[in-house]
Amino acid sequence: LEEIHPDVNHNHKKNVFLFLKKILKLNLNVKVLFKNFPTNNDHFINQILKSEIEQKKIVITKSASTELMNKANFVLFDMISTGFAEAINIGIPSFVFGHRYHYMQASKEGKIINDKLEKHGMLFYDIDSGIQSFNQLINNNDKFIESSKKIFDEFKSINSYPVSKKLFLEKMDKVL
């Protein structure tokens, strides 16, 4: 399994943090709750966003993601993940600041979904496109939700059992 090179990943995280910095400079009443993976260290975010953390515009937390999402107006991910699917399932406007590396690793079907997410402004690969998506949400939250509804439903359907869980498990028992 080929993984993204650590230097490339480091640069991607830097761009995500610079995106957050730009959002905060828009002077909206936005507070960022940042949840890092437990294996990652917070030094890098502390370095780039030091003043924003000191001003409490960004709060680093270890709370459960699903607990945080219910308190959020929107959620930003740095890659498409199960957390992204969870946010969609609970109806929170969600963005992914993705990396082209992950797109290139996706299956044909995955690329189709990624293309749709990008078209709807839910997935972007650079800071400027992210600001456009963020402004789209801020300027008309209802329109953003409405225009994203179709892709939300499609994404949810591909992450669901094709049959009931009980029936699926019964069939698996017969196969095994």
Side-chain angles (χ1 to χ4, degrees):
L1 197 61
E2 188 176 335
E3 291 190 27
I4 192 167
H5 190 277
D7 292 341
V8 175
N9 192 45
H10 183 80
N11 191 48
H12 177 61
K13 288 196 178 302
K14 177 183 174 185
N15 286 332
V16 172
F17 298 150
L18 292 172
F19 170 72
L20 289 173
K21 192 174 195 85
K22 273 196 162 187
I23 285 176
L24 292 169
K25 284 185 179 178
L26 295 174
N27 290 323
L28 301 169
N29 189 17
V30 175
K31 182 178 181 180
V32 176
L33 299 174
F34 179 76
K35 179 173 172 48
N36 205 356
F37 281 105
T39 57
N40 294 342
N41 108 25
D42 295 330
H43 174 73
F44 194 47
I45 189 173
N46 289 329
Q47 185 180 30
I48 294 175
L49 297 166
K50 182 179 180 180
S51 66
E52 290 82 359
I53 292 168
E54 288 172 353
Q55 296 170 28
K56 305 272 190 239
K57 291 182 178 180
I58 294 182
V59 176
I60 299 173
T61 181
K62 298 199 185 311
S63 297
S65 298
T66 50
E67 178 185 319
L68 295 172
M69 284 188 252
N70 287 322
K71 299 175 184 174
N73 293 349
F74 70 94
V75 180
L76 173 69
F77 296 90
D78 64 356
M79 66 186 320
I80 296 175
S81 63
T82 54
F84 179 64
E86 288 171 354
I88 288 171
N89 280 322
I90 60 176
I92 304 295
S94 304
F95 299 103
V96 177
F97 189 142
H99 192 284
R100 288 281 179 200
Y101 172 86
H102 297 118
Y103 179 86
M104 297 309 295
Q105 298 300 313
S107 66
K108 179 182 168 188
E109 293 80 9
K111 287 178 180 165
I112 291 169
I113 293 294
N114 286 3
D115 292 344
K116 289 179 181 183
L117 292 170
E118 185 177 12
K119 180 182 175 192
H120 287 274
M122 296 171 66
L123 171 64
F124 50 88
Y125 298 100
D126 61 78
I127 294 171
D128 291 336
S129 298
I131 294 296
Q132 286 179 334
S133 291
F134 184 75
N135 284 332
Q136 184 182 354
L137 173 67
I138 295 303
N139 292 330
N140 194 338
N141 185 29
D142 293 337
K143 185 176 178 185
F144 182 85
I145 297 295
E146 184 181 314
S147 69
S148 301
K149 180 73 172 124
K150 183 178 178 186
I151 193 68
F152 279 11
D153 291 343
E154 188 173 337
F155 194 78
K156 282 196 286 188
S157 72
I158 64 167
N159 283 301
S160 301
Y161 286 104
V163 295
S164 74
K165 184 176 180 180
K166 180 181 176 188
L167 184 58
F168 174 79
L169 293 174
E170 287 173 4
K171 286 183 178 183
M172 285 303 293
D173 282 341
K174 288 179 185 176
V175 172
L176 299 175

